[in-house]
Amino acid sequence: VDHYLANASRSKILPSVAALRKEMLTDKNTALAKYEANTFDARPLNDPRFDSVVVIYTGEGSLGSGFFVKPDTVLTNWHVVEDSKFVGMKLYDGQETFGRILVSDVRLDLALIKVQSRGKPVQFYKEKKLDLGKTVEAIGHPKGLNFSITRGVISAIRKGQGFGQPKQSGRVLAPRSVGGDEVLYIQTDASINAGNSG
């Protein structure tokens, strides 16, 4: 009542319920526009790459990164999932889902996950060479700071020891042992921390 009395001079008679609804809708749209104009949204909607990235939760308090290579398949590092059969995931739009580990390669430190939800597959670089000094970006979740992006350059491309032991008789021996087969590494100065893996 006090609010009405304070604003009584602004009141007007509306001819019908339809006119009242129209007035209420106009007020609502004006209020929503004002709210949106004063609200900061941290989602970089102009960067569609985030829609291909997921947070991977192993259930042991740690997390890693992954990205869609097919609408229902995510690629990540083996050391993110290790011997897990299932992992929880969160997409950039906030949707939570889970996935089942399809296959993994300790030597290349890679794992494929079949996902319950669907996502936008990442676009792969298709050139045959990488130039030193070329700008690169790393998207991930460093130290639990979900969906972060860092930038750097390609510092070098070199061969080095893989993650596990060399293959013997068609099988891989104990994971995390020193002396894996030689693989190609891309060295970068883009900041990468625990949580970026994947």
Side-chain angles (χ1 to χ4, degrees):
V1 173
D2 289 339
H3 183 268
Y4 171 76
L5 292 174
N7 295 280
S9 62
R10 296 174 52 202
S11 65
K12 57 184 173 183
I13 297 174
L14 297 173
S16 65
V17 173
L20 174 62
R21 286 185 181 139
K22 184 177 179 183
E23 188 75 22
M24 290 171 66
L25 185 60
T26 301
D27 287 348
K28 177 182 174 186
N29 289 338
T30 303
L32 283 173
K34 185 177 179 183
Y35 172 78
E36 287 177 7
N38 292 309
T39 301
F40 175 73
D41 186 0
R43 279 179 49 101
L45 296 174
N46 59 342
D47 192 338
R49 295 175 299 176
F50 280 89
D51 293 327
S52 300
V53 179
V54 299
V55 185
I56 297 177
Y57 301 100
T58 63
E60 297 175 7
S62 62
L63 59 82
S65 307
F67 55 91
F68 283 95
V69 291
K70 291 169 111 180
D72 62 351
T73 308
V74 164
L75 179 66
T76 189
N77 288 127
W78 172 84
H79 75 264
V80 170
V81 298
E82 293 193 346
D83 297 322
S84 302
K85 288 187 174 35
F86 297 93
V87 291
M89 281 181 268
K90 184 163 121 181
L91 282 61
Y92 188 53
D93 63 6
Q95 182 184 169
E96 293 185 358
T97 187
F98 68 92
R100 177 176 55 87
I101 312 304
L102 287 176
V103 66
S104 59
D105 187 318
V106 176
R107 184 181 70 91
L108 294 177
D109 192 22
L110 295 175
L112 283 174
I113 306 168
K114 185 81 166 180
V115 186
Q116 177 194 25
S117 300
R118 298 179 76 78
K120 180 180 173 187
V122 73
Q123 293 205 337
F124 284 98
Y125 181 74
K126 294 182 179 174
E127 300 298 321
K128 298 285 186 185
K129 64 173 187 170
L130 290 171
D131 296 325
L132 300 187
K134 186 174 181 70
T135 301
V136 290
E137 294 171 330
I139 299 175
H141 323 291
K143 300 185 178 180
L145 300 171
N146 293 352
F147 299 100
S148 300
I149 186 166
T150 57
R151 179 175 292 157
V153 298
I154 295 175
S155 308
I157 297 173
R158 62 182 85 240
K159 289 186 176 179
Q161 293 294 308
F163 203 61
Q165 287 188 341
K167 290 182 180 177
Q168 293 183 3
S169 304
R171 65 188 182 98
V172 177
L173 297 179
R176 290 196 183 276
S177 299
V178 179
D181 292 345
E182 206 171 53
V183 293
L184 195 63
Y185 285 96
I186 300 169
Q187 181 182 331
T188 179
D189 65 348
S191 294
I192 295 176
N193 293 284
N196 273 115
S197 292

